[in-house]
């Protein structure tokens, strides 16, 4: 049953994920999937459904949040529409494959996979980023990167922007602003196709207002909460030592990852 306390918690989740996204530049899915999983489990949703609800609902939230930023980059001409159309050939199969794996794999395996990704990201933040000397041809690198981000996005409920940034910053010659724009747009497309696919999947209905594996009240309230949260995160970013905060956040990711791995 959907109570006022549950609605309030979803709003707080949104504010928290938006705050951390604005403060650290980390995609909301990294924060939302474990939070959703904890709450859905508390709502007595069976674990094999709770983890998939968490992934699908996270993707729907990311779709709403990245809609405006990705549109901004397109209007500014950072990425041309013809480039995006060519990338769809790689995104759609990646999304379908990721959703298929998520639908077929047992819940405990999905949890372990998500924990491993959290662990890798946490360690990466702790170590810092170093530009590699090796550069690869973009005509091969970009499609592979986009397909991989689409697969991991729909499998684990993340936008995929972190994957795009990490690979292209290390191995491509693209300018920083174009990489950021591409990561933002790809995050939106991944999340959009992923959430639509999860909505269309046959799923056991355990909650009111559940469409497929997407829980609509959570999508609405988390999105609303993320707007002021992200603004607050950006304000704090300019007032504190964000390097220290990033490392603290990385430690939090590692702790959550270890909890998921051994639970």
């Amino acid at each position: 049953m959907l109570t006022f306390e549950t609605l309030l918690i979803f709003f707080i989740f949104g504010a928290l994920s938006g705050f951390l996204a604005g403060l650290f530049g980390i995609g909301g899915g990294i924060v939302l999937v474990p939070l959703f999983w904890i709450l859905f489990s508390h709502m007595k949703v069976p674990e094999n459904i709770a983890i998939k609800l968490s992934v699908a609902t996270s993707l729907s939230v990311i779709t709403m949040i990245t809609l405006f930023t990705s549109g901004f980059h397109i209007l500014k001409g950072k990425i041309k529409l013809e480039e995006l159309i060519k990338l769809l050939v790689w995104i759609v199969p990646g999304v379908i494959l990721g959703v298929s794996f998520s639908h077929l794999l047992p819940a405990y395996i999905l949890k372990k996979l998500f924990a491993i990704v959290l662990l890798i990201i946490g360690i990466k933040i702790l170590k810092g980023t170093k530009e590699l000397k090796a550069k690869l041809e973009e005509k091969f690198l970009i499609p592979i990167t986009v397909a991989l981000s689409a697969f991991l996005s729909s499998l684990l409920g993340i936008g995929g922007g972190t994957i795009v940034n990490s690979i292209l910053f290390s191995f491509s010659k693209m300018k920083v602003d174009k990489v950021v724009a591409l990561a933002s747009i790809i995050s939106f497309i991944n999340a959009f196709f992923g959430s639509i696919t999860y909505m269309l999947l046959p799923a056991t209905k355990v909650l009111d207002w559940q469409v497929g594996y997407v829980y609509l009240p959570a999508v609405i309230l988390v999105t609303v909460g993320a707007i002021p949260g992200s603004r607050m995160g950006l304000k704090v970013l300019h007032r504190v030592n964000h390097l220290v905060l990033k490392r603290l956040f990385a430690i939090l990711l590692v702790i959550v990852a270890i909890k998921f791995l051994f639970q």
Side-chain angles (χ1 to χ4, degrees), residues 88-105:
L88 286 176
V89 177
W90 299 92
I91 293 173
V92 175
V95 168
I96 293 174
L97 190 62
V99 172
S100 299
F101 269 74
S102 177
H103 190 56
L104 296 175
L105 290 176

Side-chain angles (χ1 to χ4, degrees), residues 101-222:
F101 269 74
S102 177
H103 190 56
L104 296 175
L105 290 176
Y108 75 93
I109 293 182
L110 286 177
K111 283 172 61 180
K112 305 306 180 190
L113 288 173
F114 187 80
I116 291 170
V117 171
L118 280 187
L119 195 60
I120 292 172
I121 294 173
I123 293 173
K124 179 178 180 295
I125 295 172
L126 283 172
K127 291 178 65 176
T129 56
K130 293 182 180 179
E131 187 176 353
L132 301 181
K133 293 181 179 180
K135 300 296 180 183
L136 303 177
E137 283 289 333
E138 291 179 12
K139 64 179 179 179
F140 300 113
L141 181 62
I142 291 178
I144 292 172
T145 301
V146 167
L148 179 62
S149 75
F151 172 73
L152 292 176
S153 170
S154 54
L155 177 65
L156 302 174
I158 59 178
T162 303
I163 308 298
V164 174
N165 281 335
S166 299
I167 296 176
L168 294 186
F169 278 146
S170 299
F171 296 104
S172 80
K173 299 177 182 179
M174 291 176 62
K175 293 181 179 180
V176 172
D177 58 343
K178 186 167 184 178
V179 172
V180 171
L182 182 62
S184 175
I185 295 169
I186 293 302
S187 291
F188 167 74
I189 297 174
N190 287 345
F192 174 77
F193 280 109
S195 59
I196 292 297
T197 306
Y198 274 112
M199 283 183 177
L200 296 176
L201 280 179
T204 303
K205 189 171 182 180
V206 294
L207 298 170
D208 293 332
W209 304 102
Q210 176 189 334
V211 179
Y213 282 107
V214 175
Y215 188 46
L216 295 180
V219 175
I220 296 169
L221 288 166
V222 171

Side-chain angles (χ1 to χ4, degrees), residues 64-76:
M64 301 296 291
I65 293 175
T66 57
L67 172 62
F68 301 103
T69 54
S70 58
F72 171 81
H73 288 303
I74 292 175
L75 290 175
K76 286 292 184 179

Side-chain angles (χ1 to χ4, degrees), residues 16-69:
L16 177 61
S17 65
F19 176 78
L20 294 175
L23 186 61
F24 300 120
I26 298 296
I30 293 172
V31 179
L32 286 175
V33 171
L35 289 177
F36 280 149
W37 178 77
I38 292 170
L39 185 56
F40 287 142
S41 298
H42 182 71
M43 295 168 69
K44 309 300 181 183
V45 175
E47 185 176 272
N48 64 320
I49 299 177
I51 189 66
K52 294 171 185 177
L53 272 174
S54 302
V55 168
T57 304
S58 172
L59 287 175
S60 295
V61 172
I62 293 171
T63 300
M64 301 296 291
I65 293 175
T66 57
L67 172 62
F68 301 103
T69 54

Side-chain angles (χ1 to χ4, degrees), residues 115 118-124 126 247-261:
L118 280 187
L119 195 60
I120 292 172
I121 294 173
I123 293 173
K124 179 178 180 295
L126 283 172
R247 287 176 176 169
L248 289 174
F249 183 64
I251 292 171
L252 176 62
L253 291 183
V254 171
I255 292 172
V256 173
I258 292 173
K259 177 180 173 62
F260 269 51
L261 279 172

